[in-house]
């Protein structure tokens, strides 16, 4: 059975991660792909790293994970994000830092799925958040499916299979997934699929987001999962992290 849970952008939110992993277990899915940003923003980077290493068959390194082990990239981050990364550097020991070093930048499943954190192309913006950028991103991989995170917004970009020529935005169908409703991936089409964020959703729905990729049924289904947001906010405050990082959890922004 080629059925995978897909999680991304956990950002040290242990309460959200535990709720999502419990839901995935309840669904009977044993293979989990993590698309990166295990740490940054939230107060439990160590325990989130432990769970990802234990539970995920594939784990990708995100830009926040990278900034923790490569401090020179900190200049790319805004104030609260940078503050949270510096806080994370201060609390992680060598074993957890080494676990971040060992995460892969890209991975592939069955030669048909590319797994990456942000974008398969080098471009001025690595946020694949609209049809224009998705059209360019399709030229950056040859597999039928690309899984990515980074924007914290669940979405499927659906495109005709091309022979390597760059697509235009009007050829891309942007699909905003309805939770629990499978998106059927046509075998004559290619898809960029984003499961949304476990630990810091930004689509105005504060519930944790993840997805199930079924390669036999050829479906991608986004799921939302309630978790104890108040407890996550309290832990964020207690850790001394910027207040805005706790506040935004309640509104999904
Ligand atoms: Zn992120």
């Amino acid at each position: 059975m080629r059925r995978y849970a897909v999680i991304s952008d956990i950002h040290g939110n242990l309460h959200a991660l535990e709720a999502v992993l419990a839901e995935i277990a309840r669904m009977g899915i044993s293979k989990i792909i993590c698309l990166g940003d295990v740490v940054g923003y939230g107060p439990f980077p160590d325990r989130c790293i432990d769970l990802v290493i234990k539970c995920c068959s594939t784990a990708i390194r995100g830009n926040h994970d990278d900034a923790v082990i490569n401090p020179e990239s900190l200049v790319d981050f805004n104030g609260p994000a940078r503050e949270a990364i510096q806080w994370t550097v201060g609390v992680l020991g060598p074993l957890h830092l080494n676990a971040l070093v060992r995460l892969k930048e890209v991975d592939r499943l069955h030669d048909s799925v590319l797994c990456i954190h942000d974008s398969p192309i080098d471009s001025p913006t690595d946020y694949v958040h609209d049809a224009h950028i998705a059209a360019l991103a399709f030229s950056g991989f040859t597999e039928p499916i690309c899984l990515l995170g980074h924007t914290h917004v669940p979405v499927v970009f659906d495109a005709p299979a091309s022979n390597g020529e760059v697509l235009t935005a009007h050829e891309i169908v942007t699909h905003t997934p309805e939770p629990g409703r499978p998106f059927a991936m046509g075998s004559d089409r290619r898809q960029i699929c984003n499961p949304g964020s476990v630990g810091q959703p930004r689509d105005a729905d504060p519930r944790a987001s993840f997805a199930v990729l079924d390669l036999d049924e050829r479906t991608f289904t986004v799921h939302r999962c309630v978790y104890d947001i108040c407890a996550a906010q309290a832990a964020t405050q207690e850790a001394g992290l910027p207040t805005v990082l706790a506040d935004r959890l309640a509104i999904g922004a």
Side-chain angles (χ1 to χ4, degrees):
M1 203 162 60
R2 298 184 306 162
R3 198 162 163 243
Y4 299 85
V6 188
I7 64 175
S8 190
D9 296 278
I10 299 155
H11 286 295
N13 187 338
L14 181 67
H15 295 85
L17 179 60
E18 285 182 334
V20 163
L21 291 177
E23 182 67 11
I24 291 168
R26 198 190 59 74
M27 291 171 156
I29 299 174
S30 58
K31 282 175 277 190
I32 307 176
I33 297 164
C34 175
L35 300 174
D37 276 3
V38 183
V39 305
Y41 299 134
F44 298 105
D46 46 356
R47 293 178 63 189
C48 290
I49 292 170
D50 289 341
L51 277 174
V52 165
I53 300 296
K54 180 173 159 223
C55 301
C56 298
S57 50
T58 292
I60 301 295
R61 186 161 68 237
N63 57 316
H64 286 250
D65 308 320
D66 195 60
V68 167
I69 51 177
N70 292 308
E72 66 275 15
S73 61
L74 268 180
V75 289
D76 299 335
F77 291 84
N78 66 29
R82 191 183 314 139
E83 210 178 306
I85 289 164
Q86 286 166 326
W87 179 91
T88 303
V89 172
V91 298
L92 290 182
L95 282 178
H96 287 109
L97 292 171
N98 196 36
L100 295 178
V101 171
R102 282 185 281 115
L103 296 175
K104 294 179 178 177
E105 286 188 18
V106 293
D107 205 354
R108 286 175 178 79
L109 296 176
H110 308 289
D111 292 330
S112 63
V113 183
L114 176 74
C115 304
I116 195 161
H117 177 65
D118 48 17
S119 171
I121 52 161
D122 281 327
S123 73
T125 173
D126 50 11
Y127 287 85
V128 183
H129 60 66
D130 65 26
H132 293 275
I133 296 166
L136 290 173
F138 274 105
S139 66
F141 64 102
T142 54
E143 294 80 1
I145 299 166
C146 173
L147 299 177
L148 51 74
H150 194 48
T151 66
H152 297 208
V153 174
V155 67
V156 176
F157 296 106
D158 186 51
S162 66
N163 295 322
E165 69 269 24
V166 176
L167 297 162
T168 57
H170 78 263
E171 292 176 278
I172 310 293
V173 180
T174 304
H175 175 79
T176 301
E178 213 178 288
R181 178 176 286 199
F183 176 82
M185 301 187 290
S187 56
D188 56 340
R189 311 272 298 174
R190 299 172 72 215
Q191 291 82 26
I192 294 174
C193 303
N194 187 325
S197 169
V198 170
Q200 198 194 81
R202 293 182 190 156
D203 62 345
D205 182 342
R207 293 175 298 171
S209 188
F210 70 100
V212 174
L213 172 70
D214 190 324
L215 289 174
D216 297 323
E217 300 281 335
R218 287 195 66 85
T219 57
F220 183 81
T221 311
V222 168
H223 296 274
R224 302 309 280 252
C225 181
V226 293
Y227 74 96
D228 192 343
I229 292 174
C230 290
Q233 289 179 306
T236 303
Q237 302 269 33
E238 272 165 36
L241 286 158
T243 305
V244 63
L245 300 179
D247 292 345
R248 67 193 304 181
L249 295 177
I251 52 173

